Amino acid sequence: MLLHNHSQKSKKLNFTLTKAIAFEMNTGELLGIEPLELKFPFELKKQISCSLQLSNKTDNYVAFKVKTTNPKKYCVRPNTGIVLPRSTCDVTVTMQAQKEAPPDMQCKDKFLLQSAKANDGATTKDITPEMFNKEAGHVVEECKLRVVYVSPPQPPSPVQEGSEEGSSPRGSVSENGNANGAEFTNASRSFVDQLESQDKSAEAKVLISKLTEEKNNAIQQNNKLRQEMELLRREGHKGGAGVSFLFIIIVGLIGIILGYLMKKA
């Protein structure tokens, strides 16, 4: 009986030690990591990010480095750094936009977070690959993180459960759809009317400009004809009565031309 009780107590103690060792391996003596799974709300053709929080539980400076089995798929910022004593550091992991969903939404990608003690006052520039080399005798803690795809949060349904007047939700949706359609039609008509008015105003401006130009040309021709008439009149006084009949004919022709031009303008 005593042996049986001792055996049960030993089993319980071993189980407790195993859980404690596993927890210690996951969190580490240098850095605590939260969460231990990278959960991405998967959506096609969209970048998705999630965060890790690293907690330094010691009085030492701790250096860390993040590795992944698929570096082209993920962007880690920062992927190396220093966590000050008794402080925290946030790490953002961004998954690039994916064109296809994996089978059964299962992901085989893994991350490895390495941590090691650093000298007091160390900065990110002081981090070297040698610090995470176990073969060189450095104490390096490692924690493996797996990637999990979760469903994206669903937006709330726009359909109301009911209305005060007792009308069905389907009817209210239909009415909203008709109202939106009418607003869209009115907006389209207004836009088309504006375009037509702009086109008409542009045509009117061109026509006015053309008529103004023709009017200016007619005025110039009128001034020129007046000068020629004055010149002919002076010559007519010198030439005598024989020229008077020719002058009358020329004046008549000029009047006809002027009348035609002014009518056209």
Side-chain angles (χ1 to χ4, degrees), residues 121-140:
T123 63
T124 305
K125 296 180 180 179
D126 300 324
I127 298 176
T128 61
E130 187 67 19
M131 297 173 64
F132 304 99
N133 188 358
K134 294 181 179 180
E135 297 179 357
H138 297 285
V139 178
V140 180

Side-chain angles (χ1 to χ4, degrees), residues 68-261:
T68 178
T69 56
N70 197 343
K72 294 183 179 181
K73 185 177 178 181
Y74 301 95
C75 176
V76 183
R77 290 290 182 272
N79 60 345
T80 59
I82 297 288
V83 186
L84 302 180
R86 304 295 175 181
S87 63
T88 61
C89 176
D90 291 329
V91 177
T92 302
V93 181
T94 302
M95 181 177 67
Q96 304 300 324
Q98 301 298 302
K99 297 181 180 180
E100 296 179 355
D104 300 328
M105 293 294 288
Q106 298 296 322
C107 183
K108 297 181 180 179
D109 300 331
K110 298 290 190 298
F111 282 81
L112 178 66
L113 192 145
Q114 296 176 308
S115 57
K117 289 183 180 180
N119 296 328
D120 292 344
T123 63
T124 305
K125 296 180 180 179
D126 300 324
I127 298 176
T128 61
E130 187 67 19
M131 297 173 64
F132 304 99
N133 188 358
K134 294 181 179 180
E135 297 179 357
H138 297 285
V139 178
V140 180
E141 290 186 355
E142 294 183 344
C143 179
K144 293 181 180 180
L145 308 172
R146 70 189 190 99
V147 177
V148 178
Y149 292 153
V150 296
S151 300
Q154 298 296 328
S157 176
V159 180
Q160 298 179 357
E161 294 181 357
S163 61
E164 295 180 356
E165 298 179 357
S167 60
S168 65
R170 187 174 302 175
S172 62
V173 172
S174 176
E175 292 173 1
N176 291 335
N178 292 336
N180 292 334
E183 292 177 359
F184 178 76
T185 302
N186 294 334
S188 300
R189 289 177 180 175
S190 176
F191 181 72
V192 171
D193 292 341
Q194 290 180 0
L195 290 179
E196 290 179 353
S197 63
Q198 290 178 359
D199 292 340
K200 290 180 180 178
S201 63
E203 293 177 358
K205 289 180 180 179
V206 173
L207 181 59
I208 292 172
S209 176
K210 187 175 180 180
L211 292 174
T212 303
E213 184 179 355
E214 291 180 355
K215 182 179 179 181
N216 293 334
N217 292 334
I219 292 173
Q220 291 179 359
Q221 292 292 334
N222 188 14
N223 293 334
K224 187 176 181 181
L225 289 173
R226 285 183 180 179
Q227 293 176 359
E228 292 178 355
M229 286 175 60
E230 185 66 24
L231 181 61
L232 289 173
R233 186 178 299 172
R234 291 175 182 176
E235 292 178 353
H237 286 299
K238 294 179 181 179
V243 186
S244 299
F245 181 74
L246 180 62
F247 177 75
I248 292 171
I249 294 174
I250 293 173
V251 170
L253 291 174
I254 291 172
I256 294 171
I257 294 171
L258 284 175
Y260 174 76
L261 290 175

Side-chain angles (χ1 to χ4, degrees), residues 6 8-9 13 54 65 102 139 153 187 200 231 243-244 262:
H6 180 72
Q8 287 183 345
K9 290 181 179 179
L13 180 61
L54 310 181
K65 184 176 184 179
V139 178
K200 290 180 180 178
L231 181 61
V243 186
S244 299
M262 294 302 292

